Amino acid sequence: MRVRLNGEIVETAADDLPGLLAELEFDPAVVATAVNGDFVPRTARAGVRLEDGDKVEVISPRQGG
Amino acid sequence: MVTFYDRTFESRFLLGTARYPSPEALAESVRRSGAEIVTVSLRRETVGGAKAGHAFFDLIKRLGVTVLPNTAGCHGAREAITTAQMAREVFDTPWIKLEVIGDDETLQPDPFALVEAARALSADGFQVFPYMTDDLVLAEKLMEAGCRVLMPWGAPIGTGKGLNNPYALTLLRRHFPEATLVVDAGIGAPSHAAAAMELGYDAILLNTAVATAGDPPAMAEAFAEAIRAGRRAHEAGLMAETDLAVASTPVFGTPFSPFAG
C-alpha cells in the first residue's frame, strides 16, 4: 500500500497508524499525527486504519517565531 | 506584571526561537532577554525518528520557560485548527499563537480565516493569541470569538520596519483597554519596541531582530532594556505633544526684556 507521508509517497506494509509509525521508526511519544487533514490524538491512533492514498502528517517540535 | 489569560508574568518580552546562528546563541539570548515565554512551532519530522524535534524540545525544556506554539505557515482555518490540536498534544498547553497566512509576499494574515479558526479553537478550550493586522473591526470580531489577547503586527514578519501605523495601534489600545495587546512582527530595533510600549502595549513579541543581530544575546538584552524603558515611560505618563515651542526656562525675569518683571 502507498500513503502520502509528510508530502512524500511511501510504500508501507502497515495497515494502521501505529504500524506505520513503528515501521518508519518515529517516536510515538514525541510526534503528533493527522490523517487526511484531521488530528489523530495519541490515544486514538490504535483505531485508525490506513487506506491506499491516505495523507498522513507526522510532526514534532521545532524552532518558531 | 502582564497577564495572558489566567497567567501572570514579570517579563513583557516574548522571544522567538528561530533563525539563531546556533543552539547556544538561542539559549544565551533567551537567558539575557529575561523572556519567560518563547514561541515554538511544529514541522514535519524526518523518517527515522523524532531526533530533530527531540533535541530542540530538550533545549527549550532546559531553559525553564513557558512555550507558546504557533501555527506558522498555515493558509486556511482547517489547517490552522489541526495544527493547533497537534501543538496542544505535543507541548501540553492550551496556548496557541494563531497564524493564518493570506498573502505569501507580505505574510499578511487572512482576517476571515483567522476569526473562523479563533472561534473554533476558543470553543474547543484553546487560549488563542491571534497574529493579526491592526484592523479595529477585526480586533472586535476576535474578541467576540473569545480572544483575550490580540497581537497586531507592527510591520510584516521579518522586515524590521518597526511600527508602520502607530495611529492604528493607538486606536486599538484605546478601544480595548482590557485586552492584553502585544505588538508581534516587524520590530527591527529596540527603539521600535520602546515606541510600542510607550503607546501602552502590554508586551512585544519578536524573533528576527535578535536572531539575526551581529551579537544576538547582546541584542536580546538591548531589547529587554528598551521594553522596560518604554513601559516605565507609559506608566509615568508622557507629556502632551504641541505644535509650537513652549519655553522650558521660566520667561519671568528674563534679562534685557523690554517688559517689566
Side-chain angles (χ1 to χ4, degrees):
Chain A
M1 178 171 69
R2 285 174 165 190
V3 296
R4 189 172 280 274
L5 174 83
N6 289 345
E8 276 183 54
I9 294 169
V10 298
E11 188 75 41
T12 176
D15 59 0
D16 63 6
L17 188 54
L20 180 71
L21 295 180
E23 187 185 286
L24 299 174
E25 297 180 352
F26 286 114
D27 183 342
V30 174
V31 297
T33 50
V35 175
N36 297 327
D38 291 323
F39 171 55
V40 180
R42 234 165 248 159
T43 50
R45 282 180 200 153
V48 177
R49 311 284 301 172
L50 293 177
E51 288 175 24
D52 202 55
D54 275 350
K55 295 187 180 73
V56 182
E57 293 286 330
V58 179
I59 56 85
S60 72
R62 220 51 117 249
Q63 296 84 345
Chain B
M1 298 282 270
V2 58
T3 302
F4 296 102
Y5 290 90
D6 49 357
R7 299 183 61 186
T8 55
F9 296 84
E10 286 292 335
S11 172
R12 294 173 179 274
F13 187 4
L14 288 71
L15 190 58
T17 57
R19 303 186 65 182
Y20 291 82
S22 67
E24 294 72 29
L26 161 62
E28 187 58 16
S29 297
V30 172
R31 271 192 284 271
R32 284 174 65 182
S33 71
E36 296 165 279
I37 301 168
V38 300
T39 53
V40 293
S41 76
L42 290 172
R43 285 292 176 264
R44 286 170 163 172
E45 188 51 271
T46 46
V47 170
K51 295 174 186 67
H54 255 310
F56 172 66
F57 202 14
D58 284 348
L59 170 68
I60 293 299
K61 282 179 185 160
R62 282 200 300 277
L63 294 172
V65 289
T66 296
V67 296
L68 171 58
N70 69 27
T71 62
C74 289
H75 280 75
R78 185 167 182 236
E79 251 180 59
I81 290 166
T82 303
T83 303
Q85 290 167 328
M86 292 196 282
R88 179 161 64 178
E89 182 177 83
V90 165
F91 295 108
D92 193 25
T93 174
W95 283 13
I96 191 74
K97 172 180 162 177
L98 184 60
E99 265 185 70
V100 190
I101 299 305
D103 176 67
D104 283 329
E105 268 190 15
T106 57
L107 298 179
Q108 179 166 335
D110 174 340
F112 308 100
L114 188 65
V115 172
E116 184 188 340
R119 192 176 291 127
L121 289 170
S122 297
D124 189 19
F126 282 90
Q127 295 176 335
V128 180
F129 295 55
Y131 163 61
M132 56 180 287
T133 58
D134 50 28
D135 187 282
L136 194 61
V137 180
L138 171 58
E140 187 70 57
K141 301 289 180 197
L142 287 166
M143 295 287 281
E144 282 170 18
C147 298
R148 295 293 166 263
V149 177
L150 299 174
M151 304 208 296
W153 64 359
I157 298 172
T159 60
K161 288 182 179 294
L163 308 183
N164 267 351
N165 193 344
Y167 171 69
L169 293 174
T170 304
L171 278 186
L172 279 181
R173 178 70 287 177
R174 202 171 294 166
H175 268 70
F176 303 102
E178 301 305 319
T180 301
L181 293 185
V182 183
V183 169
D184 173 15
I187 301 283
S191 53
H192 301 152
M197 296 306 291
E198 287 166 8
L199 293 179
Y201 273 69
D202 294 288
I204 302 293
L205 198 171
L206 62 89
N207 187 153
T208 309
V210 166
T212 65
D215 181 346
M219 188 59 82
E221 203 174 305
F223 270 105
E225 288 171 3
I227 290 165
R228 271 196 298 273
R231 179 64 193 179
R232 192 159 296 173
H234 173 71
E235 287 170 351
L238 290 149
M239 65 165 280
E241 206 177 298
T242 67
D243 287 331
L244 296 178
V246 180
S248 48
T249 304
V251 174
F252 187 79
T254 305
F256 314 113
S257 168
F259 305 107

